[in-house]
Amino acid sequence: MKMTSKVRQILRNYESDCPGTKGQLARILMTGRLAGTGKVVILPVDQGFEHGPARSFAPNSPGNDPHYHYQLAIDAGLNAFAAPLGLLEAGADTYAGQIPTILKVNSANSHAREKNQAVTGSVDDALRLGCSAIGFTIYPASDNQFEMMEEIREMAAEAKSVGLAVVIWSYPRGGGLSKEGETAIDVCAYAAHMAALLGAHIIKVKPPTDHIEQQEARKVYEAENIDISTLAKRIEHVMTSSFAGRRLVVFSGGAAKGNVAILDEIRALRDGGASGSIIGRNSFQRPRAEALELLDKVVKIYKGQL
């Protein structure tokens, strides 16, 4: 694997990490059709835990088979595949070494009344399965946010000590946060910054809207003339909030939507300097041929070809 200067520059931003962890980051950055560009597209399939099998896989029933998702990520030329323990275990031998994997080590479900997640995997599991990283969700604003932060602090330290990378899904929700506030620009930028402060190598947040949730934040945005008028400008602000772009930040695909809306959003992410996308339902809920066509266009956008 010949590393590009762009990837070397990204790795230099992680100054405290051991060669093992940097090697796993390099593996993700040097895999697939975006290899060496500094951009990544990741397939996450943790929605079965979050929403149940019918809501997740009935729209495209082959998705009930874990092998389907491994193969989709490989055939689409993506950088990595993220999933919970059981799903990765179900294809670990067949697909060993074919694509970097990220073990999602905590999960929620749609029956819970509190905004919280249970730890469902371990660093040892990630090592056993040959994963490149662990993935962990925090809910800033939730009444359980501090417990979740303490959990990832411990797991991140363990992961880094054995040469794994750390991905944090930072999804503000719960507490006194409004539904609109979950994707507000001030809240999303704050969530990305918290994930960086918690030691994430890769941060996952949602594309932000131009809503401002916190009145104290609004005063600053207005006084400093922070431009949030377009999605590209809002993405630029989130990247700046993530240690001035020294951390990889990928943006979720969100709820199911049409191809035009998805691709327009990806262009705005690219133009705002996003590190890439992590697209689940908007890919695997489509028939395989349609999913591959969509992911092909997403990759081409990040390569500057569309």
Side-chain angles (χ1 to χ4, degrees):
M1 179 176 68
K2 186 176 180 181
M3 197 179 302
T4 63
S5 59
K6 180 65 176 178
V7 171
R8 288 195 187 93
Q9 178 57 55
I10 290 170
L11 296 180
R12 281 197 287 270
N13 290 331
Y14 299 93
E15 296 192 16
S16 70
D17 286 294
C18 69
T21 297
K22 289 192 175 187
Q24 294 295 0
L25 284 170
R27 186 180 172 210
I28 293 170
L29 289 162
M30 293 300 301
T31 293
R33 293 171 56 202
L34 287 168
T37 64
K39 303 297 183 182
V40 296
V41 177
I42 299 169
L43 175 68
V45 187
D46 56 341
Q47 289 80 0
F49 243 134
E50 301 288 331
H51 306 299
R55 290 171 60 190
S56 300
F57 306 123
N60 180 33
S61 60
N64 285 290
D65 184 349
H67 284 212
Y68 178 86
H69 302 289
Y70 272 100
Q71 197 64 54
L72 178 63
I74 292 165
D75 291 346
L78 304 189
N79 298 77
F81 171 47
L85 177 63
L87 198 154
L88 288 186
E89 285 183 329
D93 183 55
T94 300
Y95 296 99
Q98 296 186 48
I99 189 168
T101 52
I102 300 166
L103 174 61
K104 187 66 166 52
V105 294
N106 70 339
S107 296
N109 67 64
S110 58
H111 299 305
R113 285 184 284 188
E114 290 190 353
K115 299 298 183 184
N116 202 355
Q117 297 234 344
V119 174
T120 56
S122 68
V123 171
D124 284 345
D125 290 324
L127 289 172
R128 173 173 58 86
L129 294 171
C131 297
S132 292
I134 61 166
F136 191 98
T137 295
I138 61 170
Y139 291 150
S142 163
D143 293 338
N144 299 296
Q145 63 179 304
F146 299 119
E147 178 184 345
M148 301 173 85
M149 290 177 188
E150 290 171 358
E151 287 173 341
I152 186 53
R153 177 185 61 79
E154 293 180 2
M155 293 193 78
E158 183 183 1
K160 292 175 184 180
S161 75
V162 294
L164 295 178
V166 175
V167 185
I168 295 182
W169 278 240
S170 195
Y171 282 178
R173 59 186 59 173
L177 200 62
S178 71
K179 187 65 179 175
E180 189 179 19
E182 292 179 4
T183 52
I185 178 59
D186 59 316
V187 174
C188 285
Y190 196 175
H193 186 70
M194 277 193 271
L197 291 171
L198 285 165
H201 298 101
I202 302 175
I203 298 162
K204 178 188 177 187
V205 291
K206 295 183 178 181
T209 68
D210 62 2
H211 174 66
I212 297 177
E213 178 79 353
Q214 299 170 303
Q215 290 308 307
E216 290 303 313
R218 180 183 297 279
K219 296 174 185 177
V220 177
Y221 278 78
E222 292 175 351
E224 301 300 327
N225 294 314
I226 299 173
D227 189 353
I228 58 171
S229 60
T230 66
L231 179 55
K233 285 296 183 181
R234 295 192 291 274
I235 296 302
E236 183 179 328
H237 178 60
V238 172
M239 297 303 298
T240 299
S241 300
S242 304
F243 293 172
R246 288 180 175 271
R247 293 296 177 263
L248 293 162
V249 184
V250 296
F251 293 82
S252 68
K257 48 185 173 280
N259 284 12
V260 172
I262 293 169
L263 297 177
D264 284 346
E265 184 174 89
I266 298 296
R267 289 187 186 93
L269 297 179
R270 177 201 62 195
D271 294 346
S275 304
S277 292
I278 180 163
I279 305 176
R281 285 173 289 177
N282 278 300
S283 57
F284 69 72
Q285 287 188 341
R286 285 170 162 73
R288 176 179 160 81
E290 291 181 20
L292 288 172
E293 182 180 3
L294 174 67
L295 291 169
D296 173 65
K297 290 178 179 177
V298 170
V299 168
K300 286 179 177 175
I301 288 171
Y302 279 116
K303 293 177 79 172
Q305 297 174 350
L306 277 180

